[in-house]
Amino acid sequence: MTRSVPSRHDDIADDLRHQITTGRIKPGERLPSEAGLADRYKVSTVTLRSALAVLQGEGLVEKIHGKGNFVRRPPRKIVYVGGWGTLDPWTAAEAALRVTVRTTTVPADSHLTALLKVPTGSPLAEFFCVSHEEESPRGLARIYIPRDLVPAEVLDDEPSWQESARRLAVLGSPPATVRETVCARPPTPDEASALRTGSSKTVLAITRLATDTAGRVVEAALLAFPGDRVDAVFTTHHVTDERQTQG
C-alpha cells in the first residue's frame, strides 16, 4: 500500500508537524529548501510557504533570513528582574546567551520628548541592545540618556558600562527612583523583525524611567521580549515607620 502525498498546505503542515513532534526532525535542524520541499510534496512554492507559515505561527519553525527554515528549540525562559533593570544572572551569564550593543546619537522625537521631558530634537545617546540564544533572538532594549548626562565611562567604552548594557541595566549613576510600566501587546513591525516573531504573537513590553533626586528623568529604556520566553520579577520592600517602632 502506497502512502498518499499531501497536496494542500494544511496536509503538508500536519506531515511536517508530525515529523517534528516525533523527533524525526530534530530541534535546531534546518529543513530542506522551500523549492526542495515543494518538489517533494508536488505543490507550488506558494502552497509550501503557506504550510510553513502555519508552523511558524505555532512556534515550531523559525525562518532565518538568508539561511532557511529551522525547527525551533523548546523555548527556555529568561528572567527580567525589575527595579534595576537586569537579566537574571543565572541565565544572563550563560555562554549561550549573548547581547550585542550598538551606540549612536539620535534627536528626541515626540515620544522620547514626553518620556524624558526634554525639548523635541534634543540629542540623546541611544543604546540598542539585542540578546540572542544561538540564532534565536530573546529580547531587545532601546536605552536613551540625555547627551549631557552620558557618563564619561560610557563615552570611553569602559568595560563596566558595556557589561551594564549587556545586562540591560541602568547605565548611569544609581537613580533615586525607577518606575517601570509593563504591558502585553502585539509587537511593532520593528520589534517583530528584530525578534523574528509573527505580528500575531504577544510581546512583554517594559518602559523603564530612572529619575535622580531632583526628579529629572536621567534615562528611559524601552524593552520588549517575546511573551513566551520571559518572566518579569518585581520585589517590593516595605519600609517600617520608625515612629511606630519607637512607641
Side-chain angles (χ1 to χ4, degrees), residues 106-110 113 118-124:
V106 298
D109 59 17
S110 58
T113 293
V118 295
T120 301
S122 297
L124 305 173

Side-chain angles (χ1 to χ4, degrees), residues 65-179:
H65 182 70
K67 294 187 177 182
N69 292 282
F70 292 79
V71 178
R72 272 188 182 275
R73 298 181 186 277
R76 186 173 58 85
K77 290 189 174 182
I78 58 176
V79 178
Y80 174 84
V81 182
W84 283 102
T86 184
L87 297 174
D88 175 72
W90 293 106
T91 50
E94 292 179 5
L97 190 65
R98 57 186 173 82
V99 181
T100 58
V101 183
R102 186 179 72 240
T103 307
T104 188
T105 299
V106 298
D109 59 17
S110 58
H111 181 52
L112 294 174
T113 293
L115 286 178
L116 288 154
K117 296 180 172 58
V118 295
T120 301
S122 297
L124 305 173
E126 178 191 64
F127 304 86
F128 183 76
C129 314
V130 182
S131 62
H132 288 81
E133 183 178 15
E134 296 184 350
E135 294 292 337
S136 179
R138 304 297 297 274
L140 64 88
R142 292 181 175 89
I143 304 174
Y144 298 92
I145 304 176
R147 192 67 175 76
D148 63 313
L149 293 181
V150 177
E153 59 267 24
V154 173
L155 298 176
D156 295 338
D157 284 350
E158 286 294 325
S160 59
W161 85 260
Q162 291 182 9
E163 178 60 25
S164 294
R166 283 193 289 268
R167 299 285 301 283
L168 313 184
V170 176
L171 300 186
S173 302
T177 61
V178 175
R179 180 174 182 268

Side-chain angles (χ1 to χ4, degrees), residues 7-27:
S7 59
R8 297 185 304 158
H9 77 271
D10 52 349
D11 295 325
I12 298 170
D14 287 343
D15 187 62
L16 289 173
R17 185 187 300 107
H18 178 72
Q19 294 186 59
I20 293 170
T21 56
T22 57
R24 288 179 59 189
I25 308 177
K26 306 296 184 183

Side-chain angles (χ1 to χ4, degrees), residues 172-242:
S173 302
T177 61
V178 175
R179 180 174 182 268
E180 292 175 281
T181 304
V182 183
C183 72
R185 58 166 174 75
T188 66
D190 287 346
E191 290 168 347
S193 176
L195 296 173
R196 295 204 294 269
T197 184
S199 58
S200 62
K201 295 291 185 178
T202 298
V203 297
L204 184 70
I206 301 174
T207 300
R208 185 182 72 218
L209 298 178
T211 58
D212 62 14
T213 54
R216 180 180 181 182
V217 180
V218 295
E219 182 177 309
L222 309 176
L223 306 100
F225 304 93
D228 61 344
R229 299 181 217 169
V230 67
D231 288 324
V233 178
F234 300 88
T235 302
T236 300
H237 298 280
H238 294 282
V239 179
T240 304
D241 191 333
E242 293 185 0

